[in-house]
Amino acid sequence: MTQLRIAIQTKGRLNEDSMTLIKEAGIKLQVGKRKLLASARNFPLEALFLRDDDIPQAVADQVADIGIVGENEMLEKKEDVKIVKRLGFSKCRVSLAIPKSEEYPGIEWFNGKRIATSYPVILKDFLEKNKVKADVHVISGSVEIAPGIGLADAIFDIVSSGSTLVSNRLKEVEVALYSEAVLIAPQELSAEKQAILDDLIFRMESVERAKDKKYILLNAPNEKIEGISDILPGMKSPTVTPLAEPGWSSVHSVIAENDFWEIIGKLKEAGAQGILVVPIEKMIF
Ligand code: PRP
Ligand code: ZN
């Protein structure tokens, strides 16, 4: 039977959210300690655990069929892969940062400076675009300590919460890239594998759609139903069913989490009672 092999980061910033995403798609991976491969019991998917740096190449070389990786990693590696879905987690910036004590007049500050980074490809592109001539030093980890020990004048690295910069007395001065986790695939997959991927994406999207939506149930006297229905955006029109009590109905609909407080207030004003709001697990259209 054909299986789709997905490359996932072994540990680090993307691992946990990647595993959650797969779990929420209803896929049960049997993951052992220190295992390189894990297969699913109830879906034709197999996970291959790799360092994030290695994931773009693994997909390009068909060691894995698809992968979850930071967009920054994908852009840095310039492998022949494409984004099939943006995943919305592990959001970060890839930025230039300089010692806090330095005055920063603008990007020309970087001319002639030494910049330490693990992302030389993205950095060189960015410098070229901004007509800056600087010295790029490639360091594979702990880039943030380079200025403090005199190894560089500045750094180009991932910034997420910003706490690494703060604790190293650095300040972010230019953002080159906004990045997030992405699902990558080769330009082409076999028809069988593509079908599995389509199913996987469909599941992910159903979970995603449900996340910012709530199911709402309320009771109201029949003469108020029309006014209440106008307030509820819903997917289509709300479901209205009569209650045992004559002259009363129950109204069901779906609302966006963001509109929640505004809508609840309006519903009460319009005569709604016994309002119940419950989470939705999945939403299939
Ligand atoms: C990145 C980056 C910083 C840190 C920034 O490292 O190199 O060290 O995250 O995050 P913050 O703004 O929330 O402090 P990462 O955790 O990816 O590990 P690595 O540098 O070892 O690859
Ligand atoms: Zn780091």
Side-chain angles (χ1 to χ4, degrees):
M1 195 189 72
T2 309
Q3 274 200 324
L4 193 70
R5 185 183 280 179
I6 185 169
I8 292 173
Q9 196 185 30
T10 315
K11 55 180 177 18
R13 62 175 58 238
L14 277 90
N15 173 272
E16 203 177 308
D17 286 334
S18 303
M19 296 306 283
T20 305
L21 183 71
I22 288 172
K23 194 169 154 204
E24 284 177 340
I27 299 168
K28 296 197 173 79
L29 280 177
Q30 287 167 310
V31 190
K33 280 237 146 55
R34 279 175 227 245
K35 265 210 333 208
L36 189 66
L37 269 174
S39 59
R41 265 186 281 138
N42 56 352
F43 193 82
L45 188 83
E46 177 178 59
L48 171 67
F49 297 97
L50 296 176
R51 275 164 38 106
D52 63 344
D53 305 44
D54 297 332
I55 292 177
Q57 194 187 354
V59 173
D61 292 352
Q62 295 173 28
V63 173
D65 299 307
I66 57 173
I68 297 177
V69 73
E71 193 180 1
N72 56 304
E73 238 8 284
M74 186 200 92
L75 293 173
E76 180 64 28
K77 294 299 185 291
K78 289 211 150 120
E79 295 286 349
D80 188 19
V81 293
K82 64 176 182 190
I83 296 178
V84 289
K85 182 167 171 49
R86 308 188 75 84
L87 299 173
F89 59 81
S90 280
K91 288 198 172 158
C92 66
R93 310 181 284 278
V94 187
S95 297
L96 281 163
I98 66 172
K100 226 177 72 184
S101 53
E102 287 284 331
E103 232 175 273
Y104 187 69
I107 199 155
E108 65 276 11
W109 183 90
F110 287 96
N111 275 310
K113 295 289 201 299
R114 291 166 306 163
I115 311 171
T117 189
S118 314
Y119 300 99
V121 172
I122 301 174
L123 176 57
K124 283 175 186 164
D125 271 3
F126 181 75
L127 293 176
E128 198 169 304
K129 242 182 252 149
N130 287 282
K131 304 193 171 57
V132 171
K133 287 209 173 2
D135 212 352
V136 175
H137 283 239
V138 183
I139 305 185
S140 64
S142 304
V143 167
E144 56 273 7
I145 65 167
I149 59 174
L151 216 61
D153 303 304
I155 64 163
F156 180 69
D157 199 12
I158 290 176
V159 181
S160 173
S161 65
S163 60
T164 301
L165 293 186
V166 170
S167 51
N168 288 281
R169 296 200 180 78
L170 298 167
K171 61 181 175 189
E172 185 180 11
V173 291
E174 301 285 344
V175 179
L177 174 75
Y178 288 90
S179 173
E180 66 184 277
V182 292
L183 185 63
I184 58 169
Q187 301 301 340
E188 236 173 300
L189 279 171
S190 71
E192 281 165 307
K193 288 183 174 176
Q194 185 62 46
I196 302 171
L197 175 58
D198 290 345
D199 192 2
L200 179 66
I201 291 175
F202 171 76
R203 287 177 179 220
M204 288 174 175
E205 284 174 350
S206 302
V207 174
E208 208 171 74
R209 264 197 300 271
K211 272 205 173 139
D212 52 338
K213 298 282 197 303
K214 299 279 178 223
Y215 196 73
I216 182 166
L217 306 92
L218 58 89
N219 297 331
N222 288 343
E223 69 271 15
K224 307 262 179 172
I225 299 289
E226 215 186 296
I228 286 173
S229 302
D230 288 344
I231 299 166
L232 292 168
M235 289 194 288
K236 289 191 187 128
S237 55
T239 308
V240 181
T241 41
L243 290 179
E245 184 164 337
W248 281 73
S249 292
S250 161
V251 179
H252 299 195
S253 190
V254 173
I255 59 171
E257 173 110 71
N258 288 338
D259 304 338
F260 178 79
W261 291 111
E262 195 189 335
I263 286 182
I264 294 298
K266 285 187 188 160
L267 288 173
K268 276 164 67 184
E269 266 170 50
Q273 292 181 18
I275 302 172
L276 203 66
V277 177
V278 291
I280 299 172
E281 201 175 271
K282 295 179 186 71
M283 238 159 100
I284 320 289
F285 292 136

